[in-house]
């Protein structure tokens, strides 16, 4: 029933994401999540630019959920685990605070940080 309450674009986006995750290798999940976080933040930023008084809760909640997943799923044997946990944790904290009082400059910076990570991940492939 919840799917009927969503816009057709949101339903198609969810189906596309589910298909990408299902077809992906485990190593691709982080890249997919980074891409999705960037898209969600972009949607939140556009919405705030169009309606400054509105809080884009759906997009920010999606980005925050991804931030939590990224922070919690760093491989225990990753040599950069401590640094990544701190970095992802900082982004998660920023997004959490923006769920209550969104600030465009912070959201743009988080989006840029995720884009930098995605660029580095793609270059490593």
């Amino acid at each position: 029933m919840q799917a009927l309450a969503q816009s057709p674009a949101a339903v198609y986006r969810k189906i596309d994401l589910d298909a990408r995750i299902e077809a992906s290798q485990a190593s691709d999940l982080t890249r997919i999540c980074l891409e999705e976080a960037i898209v969600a933040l972009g949607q939140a930023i556009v919405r705030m630019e169009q309606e400054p008084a509105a809080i884009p809760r759906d997009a920010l909640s999606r980005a925050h959920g991804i931030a939590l997943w990224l922070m919690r799923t760093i491989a225990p044997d990753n040599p950069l685990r401590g640094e990544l946990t701190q970095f992802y944790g900082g982004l998660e904290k920023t997004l959490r605070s923006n769920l209550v009082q969104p600030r465009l400059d912070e959201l743009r910076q988080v989006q840029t940080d995720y884009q930098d990570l995605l660029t580095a991940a793609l270059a490593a492939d």
Side-chain angles (χ1 to χ4, degrees), residues 12-74:
Y12 285 120
R13 186 172 53 248
K14 171 90 170 89
I15 291 169
D16 179 60
L17 176 60
D18 289 348
R20 288 178 64 203
I21 290 171
E22 188 68 30
S24 72
Q25 302 285 330
S27 61
D28 293 332
L29 288 177
T30 297
R31 184 180 44 78
I32 291 169
C33 285
L34 291 170
E35 291 170 354
E36 290 298 314
I38 292 164
V39 169
L41 287 164
Q43 292 169 341
I45 289 166
V46 168
R47 176 93 188 273
M48 287 179 62
E49 289 171 343
Q50 293 172 345
E51 299 178 53
I55 297 176
R57 291 196 199 297
D58 289 346
L60 289 175
S61 293
R62 195 166 57 254
H64 181 253
I66 293 167
L68 281 171
W69 184 87
L70 287 167
M71 184 179 68
R72 292 178 178 166
T73 59
I74 300 166

Side-chain angles (χ1 to χ4, degrees), residues 76-93:
D77 61 343
N78 187 320
L80 297 174
R81 181 176 172 79
E83 292 84 354
L84 285 171
T85 300
Q86 183 178 6
F87 183 75
Y88 284 141
L91 296 176
E92 182 276 329
K93 182 179 178 183

